[in-house]
Amino acid sequence: MAQAGPPQELVFAPLGGVGEIGMNLLIYGVGNERRRQWLAVDLGVSFAAEEHLPGIDLILPDVRFLVEERKNLCGIVLTHAHEDHFGALIDLWPRLQVPVYATPFSAALLAAKCASEPGAPQIPVNIVARNSRFGIGPFDIELCTMAHSIPESNALIIRTPHGAVLHTGDWKLDDTPILGDPTDENKLRALGQEGCLALVGDSTNAVREGRSPSEADVARTITDLIKSAPRRVAVTTFASNVARLRAVAEAAHAAGREVVLVGRAMDRIAQIARETGYLDGVQEFRGTDAYGYLPPDKVVALCTGSQGEPRAALARIAEDQHPDVTLSRGDRVIVSARTIPGNEKAVGRVLNGLIEQEIEVITDRTHLVHVSGHPRRAELEALIGWVKPKIVVPVHGEALHLHEHAALARKLGIKHVIRCRNGDLVRLSGDPAIIDEVPAGRLYKDGALIVEADARTVADRKRLSFAGAVSVALALAENGELAADPELDLIGIPERDREGNSIAQAVQDVIIEAFQSMPRGRRRDPDSVAEAVRRAVRSAIAERWGKKPMCHVHVLPV
Ligand SMILES: [Zn+2]
Ligand SMILES: [Zn+2]
């Protein structure tokens, strides 16, 4: 008889997306500590705020653990095609090379993304139908339609020999979502009847009371705003929010206007939405070349750039840098999006630029021109009531959101509420608990490269941007004297001190002084010389400037 080994169990670990909104990567495991088979759900990115991480475009989850466990990783299922859920696939799939499962719209978006990125890998995607049920290794997976802010957001019902998990993905309740089906309440209630071991769920809006308004409410506001506009209208939103694109198109049509798409992401999504049927019955969009000859009261420009991205359509229009599309006094701009935390300054810059030109700017501060795609407290409460899970694990949120979601679940009588962090290994079956840790962390996309988050480059860049750098070259003769005057280069350092004296000259003197105060024997050792000069230069500059720059000393024996 085979050795029994430790009992089989169901575990779960977040490798990203817990304690932050973004970079979602959660894994489920069946087996025991000797061997587990894994299923990964989503592989997303976070966007880096420029001032914190100079030169870094994206933050990706560290997949070290999955690379180690690659032979036991059965596949990756995508819940939906938002960047925080699928944006890291192109960069990280080559390290994993396991099958990817996605519904048609998500698969089409991934294919379009790969096609637009030179050098993107060929990712084999198993396209699965919405609401379908399929097996991946020991995991029996059923998709459950959820309303969200992109077509085809799916919760996963993951059935295992040790119980069923509801992995909610991103969701909300919306009886009139404009596009696609509402959240599948019947299927969720049926899961509650069948028995749900754990609910692993979206916490984004757990701090907000009540229920979120519907996409249809937003559509009504946008219709009124387009109808009442005296001149041109521009609407900016996330291109992936196809329901919103549809609402704008229908509102424009009702007002006798045509829609001009501005921005590559808009063109790309519109094409995919046409191909997948999500724009059926909507009049054709026009290219930017049509903008110039359409009368001001006959056009709506649908633009990218809702986050203030400097190269996107709205910023270029605001600065009058767009070749085809212009706005002027009396035109109306509708910002049909929320500002993602970290982008406030960039968005403010664009909107202020528009307002300076006497263009009317309408945001969700005064009008219902945007709703979130995430559940508020009454929606979370409804879901827990339908599914009746034994365990609730809050994910997809910062500490505050996770905490509020956990508190709400406890208030509703859930016995096991597990507050975990990225890298915690959580046992769901048997006696639920955090039982171990697995490697987790972050990677940075730095230009064309993926680098470790603790690599020195980014830290160096931050120091450079704060305090500049000094580069010193010394020619060291065999007799232990300098063969020439030091060569000096100051980068990003003020030229003169408070008294008006040259800092470069002072540094030059300090170098010679530091060198000559060394015993002759040590002067012949290039490393000792470099270190002594480096210290002297940094403190000499700190004395005059109040900041310590980076300093590199090259000692060349001649
Ligand atoms: Zn998300
Ligand atoms: Zn989402």
Side-chain angles (χ1 to χ4, degrees):
M1 208 180 97
Q3 207 181 332
Q8 301 274 313
E9 57 192 6
L10 170 64
V11 297
F12 150 85
L15 299 181
V18 174
E20 64 207 334
I21 292 179
M23 209 178 88
N24 292 288
L25 169 56
L26 304 176
I27 58 173
Y28 294 89
V30 164
N32 59 33
E33 59 203 55
R34 290 192 191 157
R35 178 171 178 254
R36 301 185 205 275
Q37 285 180 286
W38 298 100
L39 171 76
V41 182
D42 293 332
L43 188 51
V45 292
S46 289
F47 295 95
E50 191 65 35
E51 56 271 35
H52 300 299
L53 297 172
I56 301 301
D57 303 317
L58 294 174
I59 305 170
L60 303 86
D62 189 341
V63 289
R64 221 171 343 150
F65 178 69
L66 290 182
V67 172
E68 279 167 28
E69 287 285 305
R70 202 166 69 126
K71 62 177 192 310
N72 298 319
L73 177 60
C74 305
I76 304 170
V77 185
L78 303 181
T79 58
H80 64 295
H82 272 150
E83 289 294 325
D84 61 322
H85 295 261
F86 93 139
L89 261 177
I90 291 182
D91 286 311
L92 296 180
W93 184 85
R95 299 181 186 195
L96 304 172
Q97 310 220 0
V98 296
V100 174
Y101 297 78
T103 55
F105 182 80
S106 303
L109 260 184
L110 179 60
K113 218 177 149 208
C114 288
S116 72
E117 249 180 66
Q122 295 277 339
I123 302 176
V125 177
N126 298 292
I127 299 179
V128 288
R130 290 164 49 223
N131 298 309
S132 62
R133 189 165 171 172
F134 49 95
I136 303 179
F139 305 94
D140 168 1
I141 294 162
E142 183 175 1
L143 301 182
C144 176
T145 293
M146 306 298 264
H148 184 43
S149 46
I150 188 170
E152 298 182 9
S153 197
N154 300 288
L156 311 181
I157 299 169
I158 305 170
R159 295 182 176 90
T160 73
H162 315 286
V165 175
L166 177 69
H167 179 105
T168 70
D170 292 1
W171 67 283
K172 66 178 286 192
L173 296 180
D174 190 340
D175 295 333
T176 48
I178 298 276
L179 177 157
D181 296 321
T183 293
D184 194 342
E185 180 179 338
N186 290 337
K187 193 177 269 191
L188 294 165
R189 283 182 184 276
L191 175 64
Q193 296 287 311
E194 176 189 325
C196 177
L197 175 65
L199 184 158
V200 175
D202 183 354
S203 309
T204 314
N205 276 346
V207 292
R208 302 186 70 177
E209 290 295 341
R211 263 184 85 141
S212 37
S214 165
E215 273 297 326
D217 302 326
V218 174
R220 266 191 294 278
T221 315
I222 290 176
T223 303
D224 293 343
L225 287 171
I226 290 178
K227 201 174 278 174
S228 65
R231 288 173 46 88
R232 286 177 291 215
V233 179
V235 183
T236 185
T237 187
F238 289 109
S240 59
N241 193 335
V242 181
R244 203 67 60 77
L245 306 195
R246 199 180 170 106
V248 171
E250 284 168 358
H253 187 65
R257 291 174 182 246
E258 297 211 52
V259 175
V260 170
L261 293 187
V262 199
R264 251 187 320 209
M266 282 293 172
D267 293 327
R268 188 161 81 190
I269 301 272
Q271 194 192 338
I272 291 165
R274 289 259 177 228
E275 286 163 11
T276 43
Y278 289 109
L279 288 173
D280 285 357
V282 169
Q283 66 173 340
E284 284 297 322
F285 296 127
R286 308 290 298 268
T288 53
D289 51 333
Y291 188 84
Y293 63 76
L294 287 167
D297 63 345
K298 293 284 176 262
V299 65
V300 172
L302 191 44
C303 310
T304 56
S306 67
Q307 299 305 305
E309 306 92 318
R311 287 173 299 225
L314 190 64
R316 294 174 65 202
I317 296 168
E319 286 172 11
D320 213 2
Q321 298 288 325
H322 198 281
D324 301 318
V325 180
T326 56
L327 290 173
S328 49
R329 191 171 159 196
D331 291 341
R332 177 174 284 177
V333 170
I334 302 170
V335 182
S336 182
R338 156 189 104 101
T339 301
I340 293 174
N343 296 340
E344 294 87 353
K345 275 189 194 161
V347 172
R349 208 173 296 134
V350 173
L351 300 189
N352 284 324
L354 292 165
I355 291 163
E356 290 287 358
Q357 298 170 59
E358 294 181 55
I359 294 161
E360 185 190 12
V361 174
I362 292 173
T363 69
D364 66 350
R365 271 190 298 247
T366 53
H367 292 75
L368 184 59
V369 289
H370 176 69
V371 282
S372 163
H374 299 276
R376 295 189 188 177
R377 295 172 71 85
E379 295 160 79
L380 294 170
E381 209 170 317
L383 182 69
I384 290 174
W386 297 339
V387 176
K388 302 182 188 67
K390 184 177 154 200
I391 306 165
V392 166
V393 187
V395 298
H396 203 289
E398 295 170 6
L400 171 69
H401 314 118
L402 302 172
H403 175 81
E404 290 294 322
H405 192 182
L408 177 68
R410 276 189 211 104
K411 200 188 91 186
L412 295 171
I414 302 297
K415 252 216 337 259
H416 301 280
V417 177
I418 299 180
R419 274 280 279 112
C420 54
R421 295 166 195 272
N422 288 339
D424 283 343
L425 186 70
V426 181
R427 180 173 59 218
L428 296 173
S429 56
D431 181 18
I434 296 171
I435 53 169
D436 202 353
E437 255 177 62
V438 298
R442 313 162 132 225
L443 300 171
Y444 295 150
K445 178 110 191 229
D446 186 3
L449 302 178
I450 307 291
V451 301
E452 307 273 328
D454 52 8
R456 259 190 47 196
T457 43
V458 177
D460 281 356
R461 236 176 268 161
K462 272 203 229 178
R463 284 173 57 200
L464 272 174
S465 69
F466 175 73
V470 185
S471 164
V472 180
L474 295 175
L476 192 61
E478 255 181 69
N479 64 358
E481 293 294 339
L482 290 178
D485 281 345
E487 292 268 348
L488 194 59
D489 210 351
L490 273 61
I491 305 154
I493 294 168
E495 275 180 37
R496 298 192 175 274
D497 66 14
R498 221 179 263 123
E499 279 79 44
N501 301 318
S502 159
I503 291 185
Q505 187 54 56
V507 170
Q508 186 92 358
D509 297 346
V510 160
I511 292 170
I512 292 169
E513 210 180 287
F515 179 78
Q516 283 173 347
S517 68
M518 291 177 76
R520 193 170 286 270
R522 281 186 60 218
R523 283 196 220 160
R524 292 201 181 86
D525 170 24
D527 290 343
S528 302
V529 172
E531 185 51 29
V533 168
R534 203 180 70 87
R535 280 164 190 260
V537 168
R538 277 163 54 90
S539 61
I541 293 181
E543 217 173 273
R544 288 161 178 83
W545 185 24
K547 291 188 183 187
K548 273 191 179 176
M550 292 177 81
C551 180
H552 281 279
V553 182
H554 307 272
V555 180
L556 309 160
V558 292

